Amino acid sequence: MIQSTCAPVNKHLMELLIMIDALKRASARTINVVLPYYGYARQDRKARAREPITAKLVANLLETAGASRVLTLDLHAPQIQGFFDIPVDQLLGVSTLADYFRSKKLGEDIVIVSPDHGGVTRARKMADRLKAPIAIIDKRRPRPNVSEVMNIIGNIEGRTAIIIDDIIDTAGTITLAANALIERGAKKVYACCTHPVLSGPAIDRIQASAISELVVTNTIPLPEEKQIEKITQLSVAPLLGEAIICIHEKLSVSKLFD
């Protein structure tokens, strides 16, 4: 079963649970759920008192409904895999994104930028593929969906910067980072992510920002009003298709994690 639990999240999640239940009651031997985008993943711990852990709740719902395996892309936090008592395969969108930037032949003066400390591992994976150095944006988030750039760690002056993130929601962080990079001497700024949530003022912010091109994947479909000239959408179908074949034929999927 393939279902991206993007907006409207509750509708898509309920559709998925009902279909899993239908398959289970029809005596399906195994039910493999392909979630290109795992909704509610950003609430993966109790940051404050009286908060839910929705990533764990969704895991419980999928298991209770009857899922026997989950295949997904770029979980917001790797520990979400541990919320399940069934096999969970997490593929990485960075391979698809890196292949695209390699085909653009941007030259050797590129630098991969993590928009925060939590994304350094992702930036390192991209940097290894493109044989480029990394830089890190030191920021603080005074309240949800609001961030402030404090400092940039690494050499970005005169370079072409590629900012990589897993999710772009309101685009506040990514556009603030792009503008800060240009102000501090970057020659050109590209941005990329696996999951283009792009809610609220995101499109207007991207259009008005210093970002030359935003590269995303199709884990979340983009409606026509969000398909602006600055945004390029890549397909993750070949990656998911290869994983599905490996699972169906009981082959190792570990080669797809690299």
Side-chain angles (χ1 to χ4, degrees):
M1 284 198 61
I2 301 173
Q3 176 80 307
S4 193
T5 51
C6 53
V9 184
N10 295 340
K11 176 178 181 288
H12 288 147
L13 185 58
M14 279 307 301
E15 279 182 350
L16 177 62
L17 295 172
I18 291 167
M19 282 301 297
I20 293 171
D21 183 71
L23 292 170
K24 186 180 179 182
R25 292 175 189 278
S27 303
R29 186 177 61 195
T30 58
I31 302 170
N32 298 291
V33 179
V34 181
L35 291 173
Y37 174 67
Y38 186 105
Y40 288 117
R42 280 182 284 180
Q43 190 70 30
D44 57 81
R45 67 195 186 283
K46 281 188 72 168
R48 299 184 191 88
R50 301 184 184 89
E51 280 189 342
I53 305 179
T54 53
K56 171 63 174 166
L57 175 61
V58 171
N60 289 344
L61 289 169
L62 291 170
E63 284 190 56
T64 302
S68 49
R69 187 172 190 146
V70 171
L71 175 66
T72 187
L73 263 114
D74 277 323
L75 289 169
H76 189 61
Q79 66 264 26
I80 293 172
Q81 286 180 289
F83 294 173
F84 290 84
D85 291 321
I86 56 175
V88 177
D89 298 306
Q90 179 195 205
L91 303 178
L92 303 175
V94 69
S95 56
T96 302
L97 297 169
D99 287 345
Y100 175 80
F101 283 110
R102 194 181 293 114
S103 71
K104 284 182 73 73
K105 295 182 169 55
L106 297 174
E108 296 182 2
D109 63 338
I110 62 172
V111 58
I112 310 303
V113 181
S114 172
D116 51 38
H117 295 280
V120 172
T121 302
R122 192 178 302 107
R124 177 64 65 194
K125 289 182 190 301
M126 171 79 94
D128 288 344
R129 283 171 166 80
L130 297 179
K131 303 290 186 289
I134 73 166
I136 304 162
I137 291 179
D138 179 29
K139 69 172 187 182
R140 69 184 185 97
R141 194 182 284 279
R143 56 187 186 276
N145 285 333
V146 176
S147 61
E148 298 174 6
V149 171
M150 306 296 287
N151 197 12
I152 296 175
I153 304 161
N155 180 22
I156 51 98
E157 194 170 346
R159 291 177 173 269
T160 299
I162 301 173
I163 310 170
I164 180 167
D165 212 345
D166 61 332
I167 296 172
I168 296 179
D169 186 358
T170 59
T173 295
I174 212 88
T175 53
L176 195 68
N179 295 339
L181 288 167
I182 291 293
E183 285 169 13
R184 288 164 171 79
K187 185 169 63 177
K188 201 171 188 180
V189 177
Y190 292 88
C192 62
C193 75
T194 305
H195 307 300
V197 175
L198 302 180
S199 65
I203 296 298
D204 291 337
R205 284 175 172 175
I206 290 162
Q207 196 74 273
S209 74
I211 296 171
S212 298
E213 183 182 14
L214 171 61
V215 183
V216 302
T217 76
N218 61 347
T219 58
I220 297 174
L222 287 183
E224 196 172 334
E225 64 270 16
K226 293 183 181 179
Q227 295 175 19
I228 61 172
E229 196 173 334
K230 268 192 179 184
I231 297 178
T232 301
Q233 193 167 39
L234 310 176
S235 176
V236 291
L239 181 62
L240 288 174
E242 198 172 345
I244 290 168
I245 289 170
C246 288
I247 292 168
H248 181 66
E249 297 183 353
K250 295 182 172 59
L251 302 173
S252 171
V253 293
S254 59
K255 64 178 180 178
L256 301 176
F257 302 151
D258 299 328

